[in-house]
Amino acid sequence: MAKKVQIELGEAELEVMRALWDHGPQTVRDVMERLHERGRTVAYTTVLTFLTRLEQKGVVASDKRDQAYVYKSKISRQSVTMSRIKALVDQLYDGAAAPMLAQLIENERFTPDEITHLRKLIDDLDSKGS
Amino acid sequence: MAKKVQIELGEAELEVMRALWDHGPQTVRDVMERLHERGRTVAYTTVLTFLTRLEQKGVVASDKRDQAYVYKSKISRQSVTMSRIKALVDQLYDGAAAPMLAQLIENERFTPDEITHLRKLIDDLDSKGS
DNA sequence: TCTTACCTACGACAGCGGTAGTAGAACGCT
DNA sequence: AGCGTTCTACTACCGCTGTCGTAGGTAAGA
């Protein structure tokens, strides 16, 4: 379970990953359309560049099918999220997650349902123990 | 209280901000020493560049005292944290904080004390309401 | 006064990420 | 066979960030 030392993804690259996470393996053209839907109207070759770089970084894989390559994500959204949060917590709180979590809880607005859900998550922590 | 639309800080810049947050207003040399203590052995002029850029970005202020300028942060650690988290949540979860929070709670290890504290925070949300 | 030490201003450079153009291969239609 | 469409490979460029070096000011000691 060796974690990549760092999964370094830019903002646009992340949106490409999202397209793959949300809609499964796709061609360059597919991904481009997803990005356009989300308001990022980039050129076809730009998307190609993104995917090529992501493949070099080892976070997506491609295989030729019919005319075009189909790209799929090799990493989970969760691993990226956690990696990012970890970086954040390290950079701002020396790795202590609790204070950041506290701040997050205090500053965000949650619906009653969400609150109930969060409480349940916290409760579950007890039984699990550290 | 209009927040900057975006507080865009690099990783090294963030460490400079931390030095200012943790130890108050300081000279270039002071900040450099803080960075060295934290294992970032950068040159004096590099720190100077950081502080100059941060001032251009409007997040630190300087005033001349004796020989050297003393720099101080103009923004709070909290605002930066929230801004970063917001970016993260937007980028990965379309702005829905709860799912990310949930993932964070599930993946991090907390001490019993921290759990108690977190529970209290959640409880307080109820009384406060949205 | 000359030297030394420290400070700031300015310029430079490389790597990365976002963005795209062009060239050339491959496929299909006429 | 020739043409248009589509795909990939390559190259390029700009702005930002991390990193310094050099040059020139100024204060303080020899």
Side-chain angles (χ1 to χ4, degrees), chain A residues 28-48:
Chain A
V28 174
R29 188 154 299 274
D30 292 334
V31 171
M32 183 185 76
E33 277 158 15
R34 299 293 158 275
L35 294 184
H36 287 186
E37 282 165 14
R38 293 183 55 79
R40 190 173 208 112
T41 54
V42 285
Y44 181 93
T45 50
T46 302
V47 181
L48 178 60

PDB file of all heavy atoms in Angstrom, chain A residues 28-48:
ATOM      1  N   VAL A  28      -9.977  11.157 -25.417  1.00  0.00           N
ATOM      2  CA  VAL A  28      -9.647  12.573 -25.299  1.00  0.00           C
ATOM      3  C   VAL A  28     -10.878  13.423 -25.586  1.00  0.00           C
ATOM      4  O   VAL A  28     -11.211  14.350 -24.852  1.00  0.00           O
ATOM      5  CB  VAL A  28      -8.520  12.940 -26.278  1.00  0.00           C
ATOM      6  CG1 VAL A  28      -8.267  14.439 -26.262  1.00  0.00           C
ATOM      7  CG2 VAL A  28      -7.249  12.175 -25.941  1.00  0.00           C
ATOM      8  N   ARG A  29     -11.548  13.059 -26.658  1.00  0.00           N
ATOM      9  CA  ARG A  29     -12.710  13.853 -27.051  1.00  0.00           C
ATOM     10  C   ARG A  29     -13.802  13.825 -25.983  1.00  0.00           C
ATOM     11  O   ARG A  29     -14.432  14.845 -25.675  1.00  0.00           O
ATOM     12  CB  ARG A  29     -13.258  13.347 -28.397  1.00  0.00           C
ATOM     13  CG  ARG A  29     -14.350  14.211 -28.990  1.00  0.00           C
ATOM     14  CD  ARG A  29     -14.415  14.098 -30.497  1.00  0.00           C
ATOM     15  NE  ARG A  29     -13.185  14.538 -31.153  1.00  0.00           N
ATOM     16  CZ  ARG A  29     -12.924  15.812 -31.471  1.00  0.00           C
ATOM     17  NH1 ARG A  29     -13.802  16.764 -31.199  1.00  0.00           N
ATOM     18  NH2 ARG A  29     -11.795  16.131 -32.063  1.00  0.00           N
ATOM     19  N   ASP A  30     -14.017  12.676 -25.418  1.00  0.00           N
ATOM     20  CA  ASP A  30     -15.014  12.572 -24.345  1.00  0.00           C
ATOM     21  C   ASP A  30     -14.667  13.499 -23.195  1.00  0.00           C
ATOM     22  O   ASP A  30     -15.508  14.273 -22.724  1.00  0.00           O
ATOM     23  CB  ASP A  30     -15.055  11.134 -23.813  1.00  0.00           C
ATOM     24  CG  ASP A  30     -15.605  10.165 -24.843  1.00  0.00           C
ATOM     25  OD1 ASP A  30     -16.381  10.604 -25.718  1.00  0.00           O
ATOM     26  OD2 ASP A  30     -15.256   8.963 -24.768  1.00  0.00           O
ATOM     27  N   VAL A  31     -13.425  13.387 -22.763  1.00  0.00           N
ATOM     28  CA  VAL A  31     -13.002  14.216 -21.640  1.00  0.00           C
ATOM     29  C   VAL A  31     -13.170  15.684 -21.976  1.00  0.00           C
ATOM     30  O   VAL A  31     -13.659  16.476 -21.164  1.00  0.00           O
ATOM     31  CB  VAL A  31     -11.536  13.919 -21.267  1.00  0.00           C
ATOM     32  CG1 VAL A  31     -11.029  14.924 -20.241  1.00  0.00           C
ATOM     33  CG2 VAL A  31     -11.397  12.511 -20.718  1.00  0.00           C
ATOM     34  N   MET A  32     -12.806  16.040 -23.175  1.00  0.00           N
ATOM     35  CA  MET A  32     -12.960  17.432 -23.577  1.00  0.00           C
ATOM     36  C   MET A  32     -14.404  17.874 -23.425  1.00  0.00           C
ATOM     37  O   MET A  32     -14.693  18.945 -22.910  1.00  0.00           O
ATOM     38  CB  MET A  32     -12.500  17.637 -25.012  1.00  0.00           C
ATOM     39  CG  MET A  32     -12.585  19.095 -25.444  1.00  0.00           C
ATOM     40  SD  MET A  32     -12.181  19.351 -27.186  1.00  0.00           S
ATOM     41  CE  MET A  32     -13.681  18.765 -27.968  1.00  0.00           C
ATOM     42  N   GLU A  33     -15.302  17.021 -23.845  1.00  0.00           N
ATOM     43  CA  GLU A  33     -16.711  17.388 -23.737  1.00  0.00           C
ATOM     44  C   GLU A  33     -17.147  17.548 -22.284  1.00  0.00           C
ATOM     45  O   GLU A  33     -17.885  18.460 -21.939  1.00  0.00           O
ATOM     46  CB  GLU A  33     -17.576  16.354 -24.463  1.00  0.00           C
ATOM     47  CG  GLU A  33     -17.642  16.659 -25.957  1.00  0.00           C
ATOM     48  CD  GLU A  33     -18.018  15.439 -26.802  1.00  0.00           C
ATOM     49  OE1 GLU A  33     -18.499  14.441 -26.225  1.00  0.00           O
ATOM     50  OE2 GLU A  33     -17.813  15.483 -28.036  1.00  0.00           O
ATOM     51  N   ARG A  34     -16.659  16.685 -21.438  1.00  0.00           N
ATOM     52  CA  ARG A  34     -16.968  16.815 -20.005  1.00  0.00           C
ATOM     53  C   ARG A  34     -16.487  18.153 -19.483  1.00  0.00           C
ATOM     54  O   ARG A  34     -17.174  18.845 -18.746  1.00  0.00           O
ATOM     55  CB  ARG A  34     -16.287  15.713 -19.190  1.00  0.00           C
ATOM     56  CG  ARG A  34     -16.693  14.287 -19.532  1.00  0.00           C
ATOM     57  CD  ARG A  34     -18.122  13.973 -19.172  1.00  0.00           C
ATOM     58  NE  ARG A  34     -18.601  12.831 -19.955  1.00  0.00           N
ATOM     59  CZ  ARG A  34     -19.102  12.930 -21.178  1.00  0.00           C
ATOM     60  NH1 ARG A  34     -19.230  14.110 -21.752  1.00  0.00           N
ATOM     61  NH2 ARG A  34     -19.517  11.869 -21.828  1.00  0.00           N
ATOM     62  N   LEU A  35     -15.277  18.504 -19.871  1.00  0.00           N
ATOM     63  CA  LEU A  35     -14.719  19.763 -19.397  1.00  0.00           C
ATOM     64  C   LEU A  35     -15.532  20.941 -19.913  1.00  0.00           C
ATOM     65  O   LEU A  35     -15.793  21.894 -19.182  1.00  0.00           O
ATOM     66  CB  LEU A  35     -13.256  19.905 -19.835  1.00  0.00           C
ATOM     67  CG  LEU A  35     -12.277  18.898 -19.224  1.00  0.00           C
ATOM     68  CD1 LEU A  35     -10.850  19.206 -19.668  1.00  0.00           C
ATOM     69  CD2 LEU A  35     -12.349  18.904 -17.703  1.00  0.00           C
ATOM     70  N   HIS A  36     -15.936  20.842 -21.146  1.00  0.00           N
ATOM     71  CA  HIS A  36     -16.749  21.920 -21.705  1.00  0.00           C
ATOM     72  C   HIS A  36     -18.052  22.043 -20.946  1.00  0.00           C
ATOM     73  O   HIS A  36     -18.510  23.138 -20.630  1.00  0.00           O
ATOM     74  CB  HIS A  36     -17.001  21.679 -23.197  1.00  0.00           C
ATOM     75  CG  HIS A  36     -15.788  21.920 -24.052  1.00  0.00           C
ATOM     76  ND1 HIS A  36     -15.816  21.881 -25.420  1.00  0.00           N
ATOM     77  CD2 HIS A  36     -14.505  22.196 -23.726  1.00  0.00           C
ATOM     78  CE1 HIS A  36     -14.610  22.136 -25.909  1.00  0.00           C
ATOM     79  NE2 HIS A  36     -13.796  22.311 -24.898  1.00  0.00           N
ATOM     80  N   GLU A  37     -18.638  20.919 -20.640  1.00  0.00           N
ATOM     81  CA  GLU A  37     -19.883  20.943 -19.863  1.00  0.00           C
ATOM     82  C   GLU A  37     -19.683  21.665 -18.531  1.00  0.00           C
ATOM     83  O   GLU A  37     -20.567  22.349 -18.044  1.00  0.00           O
ATOM     84  CB  GLU A  37     -20.342  19.503 -19.572  1.00  0.00           C
ATOM     85  CG  GLU A  37     -21.027  18.827 -20.749  1.00  0.00           C
ATOM     86  CD  GLU A  37     -21.119  17.313 -20.546  1.00  0.00           C
ATOM     87  OE1 GLU A  37     -20.897  16.858 -19.409  1.00  0.00           O
ATOM     88  OE2 GLU A  37     -21.387  16.599 -21.531  1.00  0.00           O
ATOM     89  N   ARG A  38     -18.527  21.458 -17.976  1.00  0.00           N
ATOM     90  CA  ARG A  38     -18.243  22.077 -16.691  1.00  0.00           C
ATOM     91  C   ARG A  38     -17.719  23.497 -16.834  1.00  0.00           C
ATOM     92  O   ARG A  38     -17.254  24.093 -15.858  1.00  0.00           O
ATOM     93  CB  ARG A  38     -17.263  21.234 -15.895  1.00  0.00           C
ATOM     94  CG  ARG A  38     -17.827  19.894 -15.460  1.00  0.00           C
ATOM     95  CD  ARG A  38     -16.834  19.132 -14.604  1.00  0.00           C
ATOM     96  NE  ARG A  38     -16.389  19.878 -13.455  1.00  0.00           N
ATOM     97  CZ  ARG A  38     -17.097  20.016 -12.337  1.00  0.00           C
ATOM     98  NH1 ARG A  38     -18.258  19.426 -12.211  1.00  0.00           N
ATOM     99  NH2 ARG A  38     -16.627  20.724 -11.339  1.00  0.00           N
ATOM    100  N   GLY A  39     -17.741  24.013 -18.044  1.00  0.00           N
ATOM    101  CA  GLY A  39     -17.382  25.405 -18.236  1.00  0.00           C
ATOM    102  C   GLY A  39     -15.922  25.653 -18.554  1.00  0.00           C
ATOM    103  O   GLY A  39     -15.491  26.803 -18.663  1.00  0.00           O
ATOM    104  N   ARG A  40     -15.171  24.600 -18.717  1.00  0.00           N
ATOM    105  CA  ARG A  40     -13.762  24.789 -19.059  1.00  0.00           C
ATOM    106  C   ARG A  40     -13.594  24.485 -20.540  1.00  0.00           C
ATOM    107  O   ARG A  40     -13.404  23.345 -20.942  1.00  0.00           O
ATOM    108  CB  ARG A  40     -12.894  23.856 -18.223  1.00  0.00           C
ATOM    109  CG  ARG A  40     -11.427  24.156 -18.337  1.00  0.00           C
ATOM    110  CD  ARG A  40     -10.609  23.340 -17.370  1.00  0.00           C
ATOM    111  NE  ARG A  40      -9.398  24.042 -17.028  1.00  0.00           N
ATOM    112  CZ  ARG A  40      -9.143  24.537 -15.833  1.00  0.00           C
ATOM    113  NH1 ARG A  40      -9.993  24.373 -14.847  1.00  0.00           N
ATOM    114  NH2 ARG A  40      -8.033  25.186 -15.604  1.00  0.00           N
ATOM    115  N   THR A  41     -13.655  25.524 -21.350  1.00  0.00           N
ATOM    116  CA  THR A  41     -13.650  25.325 -22.794  1.00  0.00           C
ATOM    117  C   THR A  41     -12.239  25.337 -23.338  1.00  0.00           C
ATOM    118  O   THR A  41     -11.774  26.323 -23.895  1.00  0.00           O
ATOM    119  CB  THR A  41     -14.466  26.421 -23.486  1.00  0.00           C
ATOM    120  OG1 THR A  41     -13.957  27.676 -23.062  1.00  0.00           O
ATOM    121  CG2 THR A  41     -15.914  26.319 -23.096  1.00  0.00           C
ATOM    122  N   VAL A  42     -11.592  24.224 -23.174  1.00  0.00           N
ATOM    123  CA  VAL A  42     -10.217  24.110 -23.636  1.00  0.00           C
ATOM    124  C   VAL A  42     -10.172  23.388 -24.976  1.00  0.00           C
ATOM    125  O   VAL A  42     -11.112  22.700 -25.358  1.00  0.00           O
ATOM    126  CB  VAL A  42      -9.372  23.326 -22.623  1.00  0.00           C
ATOM    127  CG1 VAL A  42      -9.051  24.172 -21.412  1.00  0.00           C
ATOM    128  CG2 VAL A  42     -10.064  22.057 -22.227  1.00  0.00           C
ATOM    129  N   ALA A  43      -9.072  23.559 -25.674  1.00  0.00           N
ATOM    130  CA  ALA A  43      -8.904  22.944 -26.985  1.00  0.00           C
ATOM    131  C   ALA A  43      -8.643  21.449 -26.846  1.00  0.00           C
ATOM    132  O   ALA A  43      -8.163  20.978 -25.813  1.00  0.00           O
ATOM    133  CB  ALA A  43      -7.745  23.602 -27.720  1.00  0.00           C
ATOM    134  N   TYR A  44      -8.939  20.766 -27.899  1.00  0.00           N
ATOM    135  CA  TYR A  44      -8.730  19.321 -27.934  1.00  0.00           C
ATOM    136  C   TYR A  44      -7.303  18.949 -27.572  1.00  0.00           C
ATOM    137  O   TYR A  44      -7.052  18.086 -26.736  1.00  0.00           O
ATOM    138  CB  TYR A  44      -9.047  18.810 -29.341  1.00  0.00           C
ATOM    139  CG  TYR A  44      -8.896  17.321 -29.514  1.00  0.00           C
ATOM    140  CD1 TYR A  44      -9.982  16.471 -29.338  1.00  0.00           C
ATOM    141  CD2 TYR A  44      -7.665  16.767 -29.836  1.00  0.00           C
ATOM    142  CE1 TYR A  44      -9.835  15.101 -29.483  1.00  0.00           C
ATOM    143  CE2 TYR A  44      -7.513  15.400 -29.982  1.00  0.00           C
ATOM    144  CZ  TYR A  44      -8.592  14.571 -29.807  1.00  0.00           C
ATOM    145  OH  TYR A  44      -8.455  13.224 -29.946  1.00  0.00           O
ATOM    146  N   THR A  45      -6.357  19.656 -28.178  1.00  0.00           N
ATOM    147  CA  THR A  45      -4.953  19.305 -27.938  1.00  0.00           C
ATOM    148  C   THR A  45      -4.534  19.599 -26.497  1.00  0.00           C
ATOM    149  O   THR A  45      -3.620  18.971 -25.981  1.00  0.00           O
ATOM    150  CB  THR A  45      -4.023  20.060 -28.896  1.00  0.00           C
ATOM    151  OG1 THR A  45      -4.344  21.442 -28.868  1.00  0.00           O
ATOM    152  CG2 THR A  45      -4.154  19.521 -30.290  1.00  0.00           C
ATOM    153  N   THR A  46      -5.208  20.530 -25.892  1.00  0.00           N
ATOM    154  CA  THR A  46      -4.900  20.822 -24.496  1.00  0.00           C
ATOM    155  C   THR A  46      -5.270  19.629 -23.630  1.00  0.00           C
ATOM    156  O   THR A  46      -4.502  19.200 -22.759  1.00  0.00           O
ATOM    157  CB  THR A  46      -5.681  22.058 -24.028  1.00  0.00           C
ATOM    158  OG1 THR A  46      -5.337  23.161 -24.859  1.00  0.00           O
ATOM    159  CG2 THR A  46      -5.367  22.391 -22.589  1.00  0.00           C
ATOM    160  N   VAL A  47      -6.435  19.088 -23.898  1.00  0.00           N
ATOM    161  CA  VAL A  47      -6.870  17.905 -23.150  1.00  0.00           C
ATOM    162  C   VAL A  47      -5.909  16.750 -23.396  1.00  0.00           C
ATOM    163  O   VAL A  47      -5.542  16.011 -22.476  1.00  0.00           O
ATOM    164  CB  VAL A  47      -8.293  17.506 -23.551  1.00  0.00           C
ATOM    165  CG1 VAL A  47      -8.750  16.297 -22.754  1.00  0.00           C
ATOM    166  CG2 VAL A  47      -9.253  18.671 -23.362  1.00  0.00           C
ATOM    167  N   LEU A  48      -5.496  16.632 -24.634  1.00  0.00           N
ATOM    168  CA  LEU A  48      -4.526  15.589 -24.966  1.00  0.00           C
ATOM    169  C   LEU A  48      -3.254  15.760 -24.139  1.00  0.00           C
ATOM    170  O   LEU A  48      -2.704  14.800 -23.593  1.00  0.00           O
ATOM    171  CB  LEU A  48      -4.203  15.652 -26.461  1.00  0.00           C
ATOM    172  CG  LEU A  48      -3.160  14.660 -26.980  1.00  0.00           C
ATOM    173  CD1 LEU A  48      -3.608  13.229 -26.742  1.00  0.00           C
ATOM    174  CD2 LEU A  48      -2.880  14.886 -28.458  1.00  0.00           C
TER     175      LEU A  48
END
